[in-house]
Amino acid sequence: MTGGKILGEETEHLRGVRLLRGTLDRAAQEALVEAVRVVIRSAPLVRPVTRRGQALSVRMTAAGAFGWVSDRRGYRYEPCQADGRPWPPIPALARAVWDRAVPEARAPECCLVNWYDASARMGLHQDRDEADLAQPVVSISLGEAARFRVGNLARGGPTESTVLRSGDVAVLEGPSRMLHHGVDRIVPGDADLLGVPGRINLTLRVVTA
Ligand code: MD3
Ligand code: FE
């Protein structure tokens, strides 16, 4: 970790999702992007396919004891990559954000890396592949901004959206943990942090019971 601060953040809420705006300063964002590049060196990004063979538009990899994968066998957490290698360790700075955001939670077991190119998106879904759904999820945004959408516990109904910017952290906990959510699109703007257009989202999760 080369410098950078986890700031005392501004907190707002969107349907119970806790939004910590500007948690990472620029130096911390740069350090975390570098740590993500290290992760990608030993766990390359892939475009997962669904059970039906449809490729997701987001490229993914992971760090930690488990990685989330999707292929023709479905969605699940795996302790190793497809080639049998373990996932690399969770970047220390991502772990520090988790400890600051959710000090009462268990240790994170997965840091999912979602890499959005300019046209990537993620449809409304729930995160329900974890065994202990009482544990929170912490999301860190890096790079270009994204229009993030939050719906309801059940499918359908009205939704609300907000823009997540580089350095913002979202905490999904309590009743908000099971809300439908997704990413409508990347908001083109500052492509400076990554050096290319696009966005990285890190989600930290507890996977086991
Ligand atoms: C709201 N990722 O990987 S992170 C995912 O920006 C995912 O890449 C999005 O949804 C992204 O599953 C959003 C923020 C997030 C994560 C979990 C949530 C928001 C959530 C669970 C409930 C409600
Ligand atoms: Fe999700």
Side-chain angles (χ1 to χ4, degrees), residues 110-183:
C110 175
C111 176
L112 182 65
V113 178
N114 290 154
W115 192 297
Y116 293 78
D117 295 323
S119 61
R121 52 181 295 283
M122 188 179 287
L124 278 182
H125 66 278
Q126 286 175 302
D127 288 15
R128 54 189 323 155
D129 298 327
E130 301 76 26
D132 184 355
L133 297 173
Q135 293 295 316
V137 176
V138 172
S139 144
I140 307 170
S141 292
L142 296 165
E144 287 185 298
R147 172 70 54 187
F148 172 70
R149 189 162 295 279
V150 180
N152 304 287
L153 292 174
R155 280 179 152 205
T159 64
E160 290 178 76
S161 75
T162 188
V163 173
L164 292 179
R165 293 188 183 76
S166 196
D168 289 354
V169 169
V171 181
L172 312 315
E173 58 193 349
S176 76
R177 171 70 175 76
M178 295 312 292
L179 292 174
H180 285 76
H181 60 277
V183 174

Side-chain angles (χ1 to χ4, degrees), residues 3 5 20 28 70-71 90 102 142 187 189 207:
K5 282 205 185 69
L20 309 175
S70 177
D71 58 23
I90 294 176
V102 290
L142 296 165
V187 179
V207 171

Side-chain angles (χ1 to χ4, degrees), residues 16-75:
V17 175
R18 182 152 53 99
L19 299 174
L20 309 175
R21 300 291 193 183
T23 291
L24 296 177
D25 73 4
R26 173 73 188 203
Q29 293 170 38
E30 287 172 359
L32 193 46
V33 169
E34 187 49 41
V36 169
R37 293 197 194 280
V38 170
V39 166
I40 290 168
R41 238 172 270 149
S42 48
L45 291 164
V46 300
R47 268 185 82 182
V49 295
T50 64
R51 195 189 283 279
R52 302 173 63 175
Q54 187 74 44
L56 304 186
S57 60
V58 178
R59 289 183 295 156
M60 296 182 176
T61 187
F66 297 91
W68 185 88
V69 301
S70 177
D71 58 23
R72 298 305 294 245
R73 291 155 56 204
Y75 308 138

